[in-house]
Amino acid sequence: MRAILVAGGAGYIGSQTCKALSQAGYLPVTLDNLSTGYAEAVKWGPLIEGDLRDVDLVGRIVREHEVVAAMHFAACSLVGESVANPAKYYDNNVGAAVLFAKALVDSGVKALIFSSTAAVYGNPETELIAEDHPTRPINPYGASKLAFEQALYWMAQAHGLVYTVLRYFNAAGADLDGEVGESHEPETHLIPNLCKAVLGTGKPLTVFGDDYPTADGTAMRDYIHVVDLAAAHVVALGRMLAGGGCETLNVGTGQGVTVAGVIRAAEAALGKTVPHSIGPRRAGDPPVLVADAARIRRILDWEPRYSDMETIVRTAAAWQRDRFY
Ligand SMILES: NC(=O)c1ccc[n+]([C@@H]2O[C@H](COP(=O)([O-])OP(=O)(O)OC[C@H]3O[C@@H](n4cnc5c(N)ncnc54)[C@H](O)[C@@H]3O)[C@@H](O)[C@H]2O)c1
């Protein structure tokens, strides 16, 4: 079984991707320092508790498991925290990530998939955001992700590293079988907070702004089900292992849903009212962030299957009800 080193495999998206890798016949080997992840989420291969910065450990894992490729999910990803503490974001998302990538190259692993973000684009200048849209991040989180994308570009030139950068839009939903899901502390994402509000395990939802230039005044995002996101990683991996070159791809559906639209869909899917109130806009939130998803469809021949809002909300609510970590 070919081993894939998954840095951050104990987190929300990493653990779901480990499941998809295992289903596709790979052995996911997780390296995670458990700073925001959970040992209980690592179910489809070994967990090595350690840090990205530990280059000797990375070399040892590669040798022991005969790792053929790696995925890098391990990052800090709270926008507000990045504004308050940019050094933490540059340290982990750039410094530690560069050490990890160099350790991979030095131990002979030349294929890497990196979790980037729509935050690299900053304020959109077009309705749909394509990969060649200008990258002008408006917070240190997005800037740190862009800096590592650039490091990968130069490491590819210098060392023959082959990378796939996946720029996720809003990851949402939970495993279809309820085996893993989203458990961030603090939780800043709309859908888990909405589910907690409905279940009575969290506060009533605050909608940040209802005066945006959208049809109902609330901000619009492109939500991608985490199972679809995980599947995109497996297809991207297969393409690289078959000799495909470096790529940068948006991962989204190409369809926007407003916050009010998410609330309506959740009320219909769950048969319950979502307790909520309207608050002020959150600093740094663009009104609309929707992917032009044509390139990933073409290059990976990948289509989202579970990213309709009903499936997203249903799986997320089931996880929030039954979650075991
Ligand atoms: N969740 C989203 O909507 C979203 C959107 C765009 C991009 N992303 C990116 O996707 C990736 C995964 O996001 P997530 O929501 O699953 O986050 P998460 O916090 O659930 O997972 C990150 C994992 O990485 C680990 N980690 C962090 N720093 C580490 C280090 N130095 N060494 C070892 N392990 C470390 C954490 O313990 C955690 O298990 C992140 O890079 C994030 O920036 C997420």
Side-chain angles (χ1 to χ4, degrees):
M1 211 187 279
R2 288 187 291 181
I4 311 301
L5 176 47
V6 183
Y12 168 45
I13 304 167
S15 60
Q16 191 74 58
T17 304
C18 287
K19 178 171 180 174
L21 284 169
S22 165
Q23 287 172 335
Y26 299 99
L27 175 69
V29 178
T30 290
L31 169 66
D32 200 299
N33 65 7
L34 303 182
S35 53
T36 57
Y38 300 85
E40 298 91 322
V42 183
K43 299 162 162 242
W44 294 278
L47 165 64
I48 292 109
E49 200 176 326
D51 198 276
L52 281 180
R53 300 168 180 80
D54 189 342
V55 295
D56 294 336
L57 178 62
V58 172
R60 247 186 351 263
I61 297 171
V62 168
R63 280 193 303 280
E64 273 172 27
H65 293 277
E66 298 178 26
V67 167
V68 297
M71 296 189 181
H72 173 35
F73 296 91
C76 303
S77 48
L78 295 170
V79 170
E81 184 188 54
S82 81
V83 174
N85 190 356
K88 177 176 177 183
Y89 280 70
Y90 278 89
D91 176 48
N92 204 38
N93 296 1
V94 188
V98 165
L99 287 174
F100 175 63
K102 184 64 168 50
L104 289 173
V105 165
D106 288 346
S107 48
V109 176
K110 298 257 172 120
L112 177 62
I113 299 182
F114 170 53
S115 307
S116 191
T117 165
V120 299
Y121 295 116
N123 286 319
E125 294 171 7
T126 48
E127 206 166 301
L128 295 181
I129 306 174
E131 289 82 353
D132 60 359
H133 183 283
T135 43
R136 297 193 194 100
I138 55 169
N139 53 61
Y141 167 63
S144 68
K145 289 286 183 172
L146 182 61
F148 185 64
E149 284 192 12
Q150 289 161 343
L152 282 179
Y153 172 81
W154 292 111
M155 291 179 80
Q157 313 305 309
H159 310 300
L161 175 73
V162 179
Y163 61 77
T164 305
V165 168
L166 295 178
R167 291 177 176 162
Y168 313 161
F169 281 63
N170 286 51
D175 183 43
L176 306 174
D177 310 313
E179 294 190 274
V180 283
E182 184 167 16
S183 296
H184 291 129
E185 286 303 334
E187 186 55 77
T188 58
H189 292 151
L190 170 66
I191 291 171
N193 283 333
L194 175 155
C195 293
K196 289 186 204 174
V198 169
L199 294 165
T201 54
K203 294 187 301 232
L205 189 70
T206 304
V207 175
F208 297 114
D210 66 351
D211 57 350
Y212 284 110
T214 59
D216 58 31
T218 62
M220 180 182 277
R221 295 290 180 268
D222 184 338
Y223 295 92
I224 179 83
H225 196 289
V226 66
V227 170
D228 288 330
L229 190 48
H233 287 74
V234 175
V235 186
L237 173 67
R239 178 184 164 278
M240 283 197 299
L241 293 178
C246 296
E247 268 297 340
T248 297
L249 303 169
N250 285 339
V251 197
T253 63
Q255 302 291 325
V257 184
T258 62
V259 176
V262 172
I263 292 174
R264 277 194 302 277
E267 291 186 335
L270 305 175
K272 298 210 167 102
T273 307
V274 177
H276 68 276
S277 61
I278 308 294
R281 291 184 182 194
R282 213 165 38 174
D285 268 350
V288 177
L289 272 181
V290 181
D292 179 335
R295 188 168 176 82
I296 187 169
R297 287 185 151 98
R298 183 162 54 79
I299 302 282
L300 297 188
D301 193 19
W302 163 94
E303 283 291 332
R305 296 175 60 194
Y306 303 106
S307 296
D308 57 285
M309 198 39 74
E310 193 204 327
T311 307
I312 286 177
V313 170
R314 226 179 359 84
T315 53
W319 169 256
Q320 289 303 332
R321 192 189 57 226
D322 301 336
R323 57 187 260 191
F324 52 89
Y325 57 81

